[in-house]
Amino acid sequence: MDLHSYPRGENGRLEQILNQFFLKSLHMILDSRVPANRPSSRYGEVKKSDKWFNLVLGDRPSAMDNLSFWNRSFMEPMVIDIILVQESLKSSLEHSSITTLGSEMVTDTVIERWVVQHEHRRSVGHSISEASYKKTYKKSILLLRSIYSMLRLLPAYKAFRKRGSSQNCVFDINYKVCTYAVPFSREEDELMKRHNFIPIVTQQGALSVSSTYRKDLSDFIQDAFVSFPSEIITDYVGSPLTEPIRPFPTYSSEKGVRATSFPITGSQPTSSSALLRRHSWTSGIHGDASQKNQPYSGSPPLYRSPYEHSSSPTDVYGHRFQNQRSPACQKAAIDDLLSPPFSPSPSPSPPTYLYSGNPLHSRMRSETPPMSIPHPMMGRSPRYLSPNLSDPNRHSLPPLSPRSTKNDPSSQESSSGIRSIRKSDSLRTGEPSPGLTNLGPRVSRDSKEDSGRFSGPLSSSSSPRVGFSRSSSRLSFQDDFGDGDFTYPFIVDDVDPPDFQSSQNLDGKNKSEDSSQASSTAKRSQDAAVGVLVHMLRTAPPLRPTSSYTSQSSENEVEREVGTASEFFKPRDTTDALEELKAYKEMRDQLVSKSAARTSIREKD
Amino acid sequence: MNCEVCQLKELEVEHFEIREVLRCILHTILFHRALGLVRPKDVDLELFEITYVQCGDMELERKIDEKIDQFIDRVEKHPNKKNQICLSFYEVKNKHATWFTNKVERLFWEHWYINLNVMQHPKTPSGKSHHSKLVVDPGVEARGARRAALEASLRDVLFQIIKFVNEKKDHVPSIPNVEGIPFPYEITISRCT
């Protein structure tokens, strides 16, 4: 805006206010109606131009970049039409502008119209006082606040949000800015509702804003989803048909788009057309580059304003401006549209809530008195090799990720899962394999703890790569030694945090192994820590040493490497047991405090 | 200067809807009265398909939440009563202490009355049968219809606020050059008679 073009004095101030009012209102309307290609930043240092009317809106939308003709004068009204563009095989409304492009029909419907104008009235002699323009400015601030709120209450806002958040929206939103309002037909009028803001009387006239909007847009918005034929998605995450290692589909990849998109029309729903259709900026509304430099074909001639001829076509039609965007901007536009503008998308991992709750639950379990542990099942069982089919309880659980599915045999392990991996390593080096029976005692307990299985896939999902690598090693371990029946309630990460290890009194060998694993994994799950504790409680010797325990302890030679020291074999009295109980309680308190700290950190994030 | 009063349409809400409804209404009013420099923040309601605007002032949010907590406590202590929240804007006069009083005079120039009729529901599914004023669970469809009606009413209230702000502008004092809300305000909770 050229400040020097304004007349000096109070008249100049008034004109400046009016001009800025036009620009601000246009900014607000386009910001909340036209999906943005670049996010507006309202934070940080506020530009001087953005301070007008005490309403910081951030960067102007790209649609305004080429709307230069408004710098000329505010003497003419500014009419902003918000147009909903639908591509369908049927025409939903008779009075909508319909064009035909190939086999598709394009329906343009004006769903909202804003008219901002200053009816100039020749002032009779009086000069505008400072108080007068201050009053005008104050009222302009109030009016703009009202417009801002109103923009979010009108039905078109819902369409804007749907368009901005959905990749596969059948409709597009376009706009048109001109200096006169094309009257609506009678049918259109009946569907529209009008709201007139109270005009601001100035010494040179009256500044007024009005809005005419469609009362009901449910036909347009709901059709966006009704027209999509249903499609069976076979490669959903967790499907048994998926490969073990399958990256989550990303929006930028064609595969990911195809996996989540529906064919927009019946003809050839390719990803490239989906990409084009998502953005009317790329090559026009209809995705046809040949229409770049053509006038808006099919639209009634009344839509054209005088400015079309005098200025660049891109001044008037937003989509024409967008036609000239470079492919780099297109990709940026895709990325921008993908990010939700207002509310975060729901977390893709709903079990996160369960995850946070599980350590407490497991801790409660760890505090229960020791149960009688049946003798472990020997022999190879395919049960946990195909966990989806084995346990009927599993069907009630949410679908697990492929990694977690594969991890299930290991996901059923407690912290001893870590040791089972080490066991597998040690076993491959020729050490005896007492691990079978050692892992067995956990079978029955884990089979009863269905909820514990939740934490398995959940915590494995936090470090998926590690989880998968561990599962593969565990599978091989089970294959080799037929130990497929044990279940652990907690997934165990490869690495224990150093402080947890020290509290466990591990020997140096395991510490070195853990430290090497620590270097490969990012963090340790709470469940793993609790799993270690539970395992310790389970393998804790009874107060009275029994013969069966003695035989188990001899077979648990590898477990002893990671468990407590050889004091297991010493006959114990009540004092020892109480001391051990105290130690366990201290460990429990530490874990609870850590989990609380981690939970608070996650919440902050 | 006149003192303008706006009585907003009464809303029938359930207990768990109080917070959202009050936040929406109070923030909408305050956004229209926070005439200093603001960075508007759009907030989506969770229970309704409504987006309202906040000033982006954390201190203001905290104060409003405190008042809403007080309102909820009052509702719990006095169930089956219609409650009212009054948001008032004033100017401070007579800042100097006088011989007789140290109080400053408040000259109110606007009152907004938010009227809520909180329906009581049994908190536990079993419910106490002797509590005759408890609302019987109407069923899913009826609940959905009630929710839709409340959403429409809430939208009407927001339109009512916008209309009032538009129609009455002259009584608003001049705006000092500050950020956020330039006018002092108070929120009081009272019981409808």
Side-chain angles (χ1 to χ4, degrees), chain A residues 404-423:
Chain A
S404 60
T405 302
K406 291 293 178 182
N407 279 347
D408 269 337
S410 58
S411 72
Q412 306 313 312
E413 299 172 0
S414 66
S415 61
S416 63
I418 298 174
R419 293 153 200 131
S420 68
I421 297 170
R422 296 175 203 138
K423 219 185 309 180

Side-chain angles (χ1 to χ4, degrees), chain A residues 306-324:
Chain A
Y307 284 102
E308 286 185 45
H309 305 290
S310 57
S311 57
S312 163
T314 59
D315 280 357
V316 178
Y317 290 105
H319 71 278
R320 287 189 190 172
F321 162 70
Q322 303 302 336
N323 290 346
Q324 298 172 7

Side-chain angles (χ1 to χ4, degrees), chain A residues 100-116:
Chain A
T100 303
L101 181 69
S103 60
E104 296 175 342
M105 293 176 80
V106 177
T107 309
D108 298 331
T109 310
V110 177
I111 58 173
E112 200 173 83
R113 171 175 288 167
W114 292 82
V115 179
V116 183

Side-chain angles (χ1 to χ4, degrees), chain A residues 231-421:
Chain A
E231 177 182 321
I232 297 174
I233 301 171
T234 56
D235 57 350
Y236 62 87
V237 173
S239 161
L241 303 177
T242 54
E243 296 175 1
I245 304 179
R246 183 176 181 275
F248 282 104
T250 59
Y251 289 117
S252 57
S253 67
E254 286 190 5
K255 207 171 184 181
V257 170
R258 198 180 302 124
T260 58
S261 67
F262 298 96
I264 295 171
T265 60
S267 59
Q268 298 173 3
T270 59
S271 60
S272 58
S273 64
L275 288 173
L276 279 177
R277 194 168 284 108
R278 259 182 295 163
H279 309 278
S280 63
W281 326 130
T282 55
S283 56
I285 299 169
H286 316 303
D288 186 357
S290 63
Q291 288 228 333
K292 266 187 196 177
N293 298 319
Q294 292 178 8
Y296 195 59
S297 62
S299 61
L302 292 175
Y303 264 49
R304 301 194 182 168
S305 77
Y307 284 102
E308 286 185 45
H309 305 290
S310 57
S311 57
S312 163
T314 59
D315 280 357
V316 178
Y317 290 105
H319 71 278
R320 287 189 190 172
F321 162 70
Q322 303 302 336
N323 290 346
Q324 298 172 7
R325 295 181 70 83
S326 63
C329 295
Q330 293 175 20
K331 182 164 191 315
I334 292 167
D335 293 338
D336 287 341
L337 277 180
L338 293 174
S339 60
F342 300 100
S343 58
S345 56
S347 168
S349 56
T352 307
Y353 299 103
L354 295 171
Y355 174 76
S356 61
N358 266 326
L360 295 175
H361 185 54
S362 62
R363 212 161 283 119
M364 287 171 64
R365 263 186 269 122
S366 68
E367 293 170 1
T368 56
M371 307 188 316
S372 61
I373 299 169
H375 200 70
M377 290 172 62
M378 298 294 293
R380 182 174 176 171
S381 165
R383 182 178 172 187
Y384 290 97
L385 298 178
S386 57
N388 279 338
L389 307 174
S390 58
D391 192 349
N393 292 328
R394 213 174 282 278
H395 296 302
S396 63
L397 301 178
L400 305 175
S401 66
R403 284 181 223 101
S404 60
T405 302
K406 291 293 178 182
N407 279 347
D408 269 337
S410 58
S411 72
Q412 306 313 312
E413 299 172 0
S414 66
S415 61
S416 63
I418 298 174
R419 293 153 200 131
S420 68
I421 297 170

